[in-house]
C-alpha cells in the first residue's frame, strides 16, 4: 500500500479488529495526531497520554519511580512500562510509547540530543528499541513518531514483535 504510514497502520488495525493507545513524552502528542488524521480512526484509536514529566508518567501510567530513578525517563525500561501500562489503562490490544531527548538541549554523553526509545506492548509481549536521530527538535519528533508507527506496521504484518520471535525484552 502506498501513502502515509498512519493510513497503513489504520488499515491493518481495522482489518484485524485491533485497537491501539499511545503514551507520548518527547513526541508531545504527535503520534496520536498522526493516527487521528485518518478518517474513521475512532474505530481503532482509543486515546493516549502526553506524559512529559516524571510525575505524569507515575500518576497517569503508574510507571515505577524506581525505574525512572534507576534508568532515567529516556530508557527502554521506561518506554516498556509506558507502552504496557497505557495498553492496560485504556484496555487496548496494542500500547505504543515514545520517550526521548528531542533537543536542542538536554543531551548527555550517554544520551545525546536525538536519543529516543520506543516501546511496544502487545499480547505477544513487550519490547523497546532505541534510536539516535541527528535532526533538529521538530525533525527528531517526526522521525520518532514515524518510526513508532513503522514498528506497529511490522508487528501487524508479522504477527510478532519486530526483530524477535515474540519474546519479551530485547530491542536494539
Amino acid at each position: 500500500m502506498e501513502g502515509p504510514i498512519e493510513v497503513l497502520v489504520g488499515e491493518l488495525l481495522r482489518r484485524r479488529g485491533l485497537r491501539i493507545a499511545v503514551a507520548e513524552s518527547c513526541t508531545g502528542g504527535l503520534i496520536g495526531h498522526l493516527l487521528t488524521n485518518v478518517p474513521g480512526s475512532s474505530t481503532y484509536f482509543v486515546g493516549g497520554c502526553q506524559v512529559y514529566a516524571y510525575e505524569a508518567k507515575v500518576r497517569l501510567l503508574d510507571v515505577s519511580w524506581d525505574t525512572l530513578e534507576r534508568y532515567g525517563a529516556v530508557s527502554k525500561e521506561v518506554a516498556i512500562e509506558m507502552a504496557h501500562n497505557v495498553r492496560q489503562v485504556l484496555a487496548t490490544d496494542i500500547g505504543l510509547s515514545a520517550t526521548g531527548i528531542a533537543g536542542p538541549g538536554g543531551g548527555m554523553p550517554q544520551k545525546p540530543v536525538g536519543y529516543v526509545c520506543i516501546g511496544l506492548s502487545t499480547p505477544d509481549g513487550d519490547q523497546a528499541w532505541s534510536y539516535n536521530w541527528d535532526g533538529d527538535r521538530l525533525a527528531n519528533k517526526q522521525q520518532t513518531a514515524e518510526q513508532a508507527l513503522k514498528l506497529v506496521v511490522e508487528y501487524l504484518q508479522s504477527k510478532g514483535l519486530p526483530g524477535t520471535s515474540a519474546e519479551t525484552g530485547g530491542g536494539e
Side-chain angles (χ1 to χ4, degrees):
M1 170 177 165
E2 297 289 322
I5 188 78
E6 59 268 23
V7 173
L8 179 55
V9 168
E11 185 175 293
L12 291 168
L13 287 167
R14 191 177 295 116
R15 190 179 308 150
R16 287 165 177 74
L18 300 175
R19 299 179 328 143
I20 190 170
V22 298
E24 301 185 60
S25 186
C26 66
T27 50
L30 183 56
I31 298 169
H33 171 74
L34 292 172
L35 287 170
T36 59
N37 280 345
V38 180
S41 57
S42 63
T43 62
Y44 53 83
F45 180 67
V46 173
C49 305
Q50 292 176 11
V51 288
Y52 218 64
Y54 275 35
E55 294 83 7
K57 290 173 179 70
V58 170
R59 289 185 183 138
L60 295 176
L61 292 178
D62 200 28
V63 170
S64 163
W65 274 109
D66 183 56
T67 304
L68 286 162
E69 290 172 357
R70 180 176 294 163
Y71 301 104
V74 182
S75 64
K76 289 180 183 179
E77 292 82 4
V78 168
I80 285 173
E81 283 193 33
M82 288 170 59
H84 180 85
N85 294 354
V86 79
R87 179 174 163 243
Q88 298 301 312
V89 167
L90 293 177
T92 61
D93 306 290
I94 297 171
L96 182 62
S97 70
T99 183
I101 304 166
M108 301 169 287
Q110 67 276 24
K111 294 181 183 178
V113 169
Y115 180 76
V116 301
C117 297
I118 299 170
L120 184 65
S121 177
T122 73
D124 297 312
D126 301 338
Q127 183 156 348
W129 298 262
S130 62
Y131 302 92
N132 286 296
W133 310 129
D134 62 3
D136 64 14
R137 183 176 185 83
L138 294 179
N140 291 338
K141 289 173 66 172
Q142 187 69 36
Q143 286 179 291
T144 302
E146 289 175 6
Q147 183 60 35
L149 294 176
K150 285 178 186 174
L151 290 167
V152 173
V153 168
E154 288 178 32
Y155 169 74
L156 293 171
Q157 288 179 333
S158 70
K159 297 186 183 180
L161 290 170
T164 72
S165 55
E167 296 175 3
T168 301
E172 294 178 1

